[in-house]
Amino acid sequence: MKLPLTYYGDPLLRQKGEEIGEITPEIVQLAHDMIETMRASNGVGIAAPQVGKSLRLFIICDEKVGPDGEILLGEPEVILNPTLTAPSQESASMVEGCLSIPGVRVEVVRPLKIQIRYQNLKGEWIEEEATDFRARVIMHENDHINGVLMIDRTSEKERRRIEPLLKKIKKRYHRNG
Ligand code: ZN
């Protein structure tokens, strides 16, 4: 089932998500609904707070190389209770978008590599080093479960540029905002 999205201005997007204990059928269902919602919105990632759940759960899509060398999106992966460590000194700048901040794209500088330890939907713990696009999507979504948005990580100049757009989003989605 496609879930309604939460938008910039919703206090839920500023909360720290709760750790997931037992992986109940409800959590499994939520993960599948989040995948459906992400696909319907053409996203490459989605975090639980973006569908109104303050939980440490997000979905990512990595890139993969297709048969003709083209870049395709891989299968969605479910990430539970992640811990990110050892960000690389080396960083990169890339333009990001966010399903909760529609129509806004900003340059964000992030480390090129990160270590992540997380649980999959079976409850197995996995540890890996993520790089490039994968690392970026992980860091963007991990920010969401800590109440951080991409607009917090952009330059002053970018922030000033998008301020009118942010105001519009608040007006559109939150009548009293
Ligand atoms: Zn986002």
Side-chain angles (χ1 to χ4, degrees):
M1 186 181 66
K2 186 173 175 278
L3 303 169
L5 289 166
T6 51
Y7 293 100
Y8 174 73
D10 192 317
L12 214 128
L13 289 173
R14 292 310 197 177
Q15 278 175 29
K16 209 174 142 93
E18 273 174 50
E19 199 85 9
I20 292 168
E22 198 193 336
I23 301 165
T24 60
E26 287 74 29
I27 293 291
V28 174
Q29 186 60 48
L30 174 63
H32 287 132
D33 287 344
M34 283 170 62
I35 291 170
E36 202 178 322
T37 308
M38 178 187 73
R39 282 185 160 146
S41 320
N42 292 316
V44 295
I46 192 168
Q50 294 183 277
V51 293
K53 305 279 179 199
S54 197
L55 294 169
R56 305 190 76 71
L57 156 63
F58 60 77
I59 313 289
I60 58 158
C61 270
D62 199 358
E63 288 180 331
K64 65 173 185 188
V65 180
D68 299 316
E70 72 276 36
I71 302 288
L72 303 170
L73 276 185
E75 281 304 302
E77 296 170 54
V78 180
I79 309 277
L80 298 168
N81 299 325
T83 308
L84 272 55
T85 52
S88 63
Q89 293 261 304
E90 208 184 340
S91 60
S93 181
M94 206 176 138
V95 174
E96 294 186 11
C98 181
L99 297 179
S100 295
I101 318 175
V104 173
R105 294 175 65 75
V106 283
E107 285 240 7
V108 184
V109 176
R110 296 189 190 270
L112 215 54
K113 290 181 195 172
I114 195 93
Q115 288 283 336
I116 179 172
R117 184 173 185 269
Y118 66 97
Q119 278 178 296
N120 62 18
L121 217 40
K122 292 180 208 156
E124 298 159 339
W125 284 99
I126 296 162
E127 228 175 314
E128 63 161 85
E129 184 184 66
T131 58
D132 300 304
F133 182 78
R134 184 178 182 83
R136 180 163 291 265
V137 179
I138 286 172
M139 286 184 269
H140 178 115
E141 300 311 329
N142 191 70
D143 273 351
H144 273 303
I145 62 172
N146 289 322
V148 177
L149 298 172
M150 63 177 190
I151 54 169
D152 307 334
R153 296 202 184 273
T154 196
S155 66
E156 275 289 308
K157 197 179 154 200
E158 281 276 87
R159 184 67 202 236
R160 272 199 300 277
R161 175 179 69 80
I162 61 166
E163 204 52 55
L165 298 169
L166 295 178
K167 282 210 177 100
K168 264 190 203 162
I169 294 170
K170 264 194 176 171
K171 244 194 191 152
R172 181 165 168 201
Y173 294 104
H174 310 281
R175 265 176 229 164
N176 304 317

